[in-house]
Amino acid sequence: MKHHQFAVTPPLGWNSWDCYGAAVREEEVRGNAEYMAEHLKPYGWEYVVVDIQWYEPGAESSVYRPYVPLEMDEYSRLIPAANRFPSAAGGKGFKPLADYVHSLGLKFGIHIMRGIPRQAVHADTPLLGTAATARSIAKTWDGAICKWNTDMYGVDPAKEGAQEYYNSLFDLYASWGVDYVKVDDIAASLLYGIQMDEIKLIRNAIDQCGRPMVLSLSPGPAPLEYAEELIGQANMWRMTDDYWDIWRLLYAMFERCEKWAPYVGEGHWPDCDMLPLGHLGIRSVDGGASDRRTRFTKDEQVTMMTLWSIFRSPLMFGGEMRDNDEWTLSLLTNEEVLAVLRDGRDARQLFREEDRIVWTSKEAGGSGMFVALFNASESEQTVTVDAARLGLRELASVRDLWAHKDLGPAEELSFTLAPHASKLLKVSE
């Protein structure tokens, strides 16, 4: 599928939500882009993503202000709030900011909500490319409205003008130079489930706009029974609700990854959500605590990066990158670990014995195997796996990828791990 060419390996980037909520400002986006270009770009990090409500002039945190005026053009399309994104003034939109990100050798992304602005529907404003108007394509009935953000009504795919509205959105984003779009309130909902018909409108709109754009769908958990349809429409889809620096959420991810592993492949990536690492909650009050360093212990941080990497989830860093310490930076720049993400194939959970867990994947284009051993329990445990269980004749070579250390040949892999700790190894016969 053509869109799979847009993200042949899992996308790596930064998203503004975990640190700034709905209130990120242009200078913060530019600053994080500059950090990425200097420190992370050589390791494959490239996406800089502005999360939700960039069109809300008064946004202050991750708490949404309901029913407030939003910045919108004459064709019912939301545009950046110029008081927060000064370069957008005069109808320039995100093009100046995207141009700056591109000048650093990086790619630019935005978040949007599914649907059409409610203020456009109430004013019945025009749509570009059709005689239909905002009110005529909107789903305004009870149960069709997002319950956690009041900005939008859904779009009724059966209505004349629905496809033209989405085409006009993505034509606008293409003119800005957008490379990545995260669409929210669409992959899952406790109220009205996955919105597959609207996902297809978006797929069509991207395909016709003439610019390659990675399509990421939120929130989760996306329903597993729609896996093949998601592969057919998107590059990424969330398999979890909002994920934060809380151990029980990381613990739950092992089961989610086991279920979704068969659907990981070139250009289509089940998404474990953002990496809540480093300096979080500067203006985001989600996640149970405001301005803080990540609450994950160092062992838990390594375990999260190990699971995300061997499973091959996209990596979207959530903290304020300019405040990274050496430890946090080291988690993002370990070339041997990132090779597992990039070059691993056929990842699967080999076994789980209570909370002793072993994952494996094969090295593409090589003879090696990647092996991750996890202790997800609350006490010290020894995790052991031998060559036969790995499907190998012997373990002639064992390398610890986090430590950059050769461990030599071994009869078996056996490590005593602290609670919530892990090992990531490369082995060969």
Side-chain angles (χ1 to χ4, degrees):
M1 295 180 184
K2 182 179 178 181
H3 66 276
H4 291 167
Q5 300 170 22
F6 305 161
V8 176
T9 57
L12 277 64
W14 173 79
N15 180 293
S16 60
W17 174 257
D18 283 2
C19 47
Y20 293 112
V24 70
R25 298 188 287 260
E26 181 167 355
E27 66 269 20
E28 293 157 340
V29 178
R30 287 176 178 256
N32 277 277
E34 290 159 4
Y35 178 96
M36 182 181 290
E38 180 179 355
H39 298 283
L40 297 177
K41 180 184 168 187
Y43 300 90
W45 297 81
E46 59 179 346
Y47 290 96
V48 175
V49 182
V50 178
D51 209 86
I52 195 169
Q53 282 203 324
W54 36 266
Y55 42 79
E56 213 281 64
E60 298 176 347
S61 71
S62 56
V63 178
Y64 307 115
R65 302 191 310 148
Y67 309 112
V68 296
L70 309 174
E71 295 294 320
M72 190 178 78
D73 74 4
E74 67 271 31
Y75 293 115
S76 311
R77 302 177 298 187
L78 296 169
I79 57 176
N83 65 318
R84 292 170 49 202
F85 299 92
S87 71
K92 296 184 181 70
F94 270 133
K95 181 169 173 47
L97 180 54
D99 285 349
Y100 180 70
V101 171
H102 293 154
S103 77
L104 299 173
L106 304 173
K107 295 180 179 179
F108 180 69
I110 59 173
H111 171 291
I112 65 171
M113 291 290 291
R114 172 181 68 89
I116 188 164
R118 294 180 73 172
Q119 70 183 43
V121 174
H122 297 160
D124 202 21
T125 47
L127 307 177
L128 187 62
T130 175
T133 59
R135 187 177 300 161
S136 71
I137 69 167
K139 294 179 179 178
T140 58
W141 54 88
D142 187 42
I145 302 167
C146 177
K147 298 300 183 184
W148 47 267
N149 177 283
T150 61
D151 295 343
M152 314 294 276
Y153 285 119
V155 166
D156 186 343
K159 295 296 181 65
E160 181 180 352
Q163 186 65 67
E164 287 80 3
Y165 165 70
Y166 269 117
N167 289 352
S168 76
L169 282 187
F170 282 87
D171 287 346
L172 179 65
Y173 304 155
S175 75
W176 289 346
V178 171
D179 306 295
Y180 175 111
V181 179
K182 173 184 174 183
V183 186
D184 216 333
D185 190 40
I186 199 164
S189 169
L190 294 175
L191 296 172
Y192 40 76
I194 190 170
Q195 299 293 295
M196 185 54 68
D197 287 345
E198 219 162 332
I199 292 171
K200 292 177 181 178
L201 293 182
I202 292 167
R203 173 79 269 141
N204 294 338
I206 296 175
D207 290 345
Q208 66 82 43
C209 80
R211 184 176 181 85
M213 295 183 196
V214 171
L215 176 59
S216 169
L217 304 178
S218 286
L224 191 67
E225 60 268 27
Y226 282 87
E228 295 298 339
E229 289 183 78
L230 288 163
I231 290 170
Q233 303 297 325
N235 300 104
M236 300 164 49
W237 55 89
R238 284 260 298 277
M239 49 187 231
T240 177
D241 202 348
D242 283 4
Y243 173 82
W244 286 101
D245 47 332
I246 301 168
W247 169 251
R248 63 176 172 80
L249 300 181
L250 175 50
Y251 180 84
M253 202 65 70
F254 286 96
E255 183 177 355
R256 296 184 189 278
C257 288
E258 181 190 12
K259 291 178 179 178
W260 278 102
Y263 303 101
V264 173
E266 187 173 297
H268 51 90
W269 312 106
D271 181 10
C272 293
D273 200 12
M274 287 177 280
L275 298 166
L277 296 171
H279 188 185
L280 305 168
I282 297 169
R283 290 197 293 280
S284 177
V285 296
D286 271 22
S290 56
D291 201 342
R292 67 188 187 277
R293 303 295 297 188
T294 184
R295 292 169 294 193
F296 281 139
T297 66
K298 286 188 174 181
D299 280 339
E300 290 166 349
Q301 293 174 56
V302 171
T303 288
M304 177 175 64
M305 290 296 296
T306 298
L307 180 59
W308 268 231
S309 296
I310 199 163
F311 173 74
R312 306 189 75 201
S313 172
L315 302 183
M316 286 288 163
F317 188 82
E320 167 52 74
M321 292 191 290
R322 293 170 293 179
D323 294 338
N324 282 352
D325 54 19
E326 289 186 12
W327 163 260
T328 304
L329 181 59
S330 75
L331 294 174
L332 310 179
T333 57
N334 186 313
E335 289 182 321
E336 296 185 73
V337 173
L338 292 173
V340 179
L341 180 84
R342 183 181 62 248
D343 300 331
R345 297 293 187 273
D346 303 323
R348 65 189 182 100
Q349 180 176 289
L350 183 65
F351 68 83
R352 179 169 186 165
E353 296 171 349
E354 296 181 340
D355 285 332
R356 296 183 300 276
I357 304 167
V358 174
W359 275 71
T360 65
S361 73
K362 302 171 185 175
E363 181 185 27
S367 59
M369 172 182 285
F370 304 117
V371 184
L373 297 87
F374 301 96
N375 174 18
S377 78
E378 300 302 318
S379 61
E380 185 176 271
Q381 297 284 332
T382 299
V383 184
T384 302
V385 61
D386 60 22
R389 199 164 189 182
L390 293 168
L392 303 175
R393 295 186 303 273
E394 59 180 347
L395 299 173
S397 172
V398 179
R399 182 167 175 82
D400 186 324
L401 301 184
W402 282 111
H404 302 294
K405 184 179 180 181
D406 288 323
L407 305 182
E411 294 183 2
E412 63 181 9
L413 304 177
S414 185
F415 296 89
T416 300
L417 301 174
H420 307 176
S422 59
K423 283 281 186 183
L424 182 58
L425 309 165
K426 181 179 179 180
V427 303
S428 59
E429 293 180 304

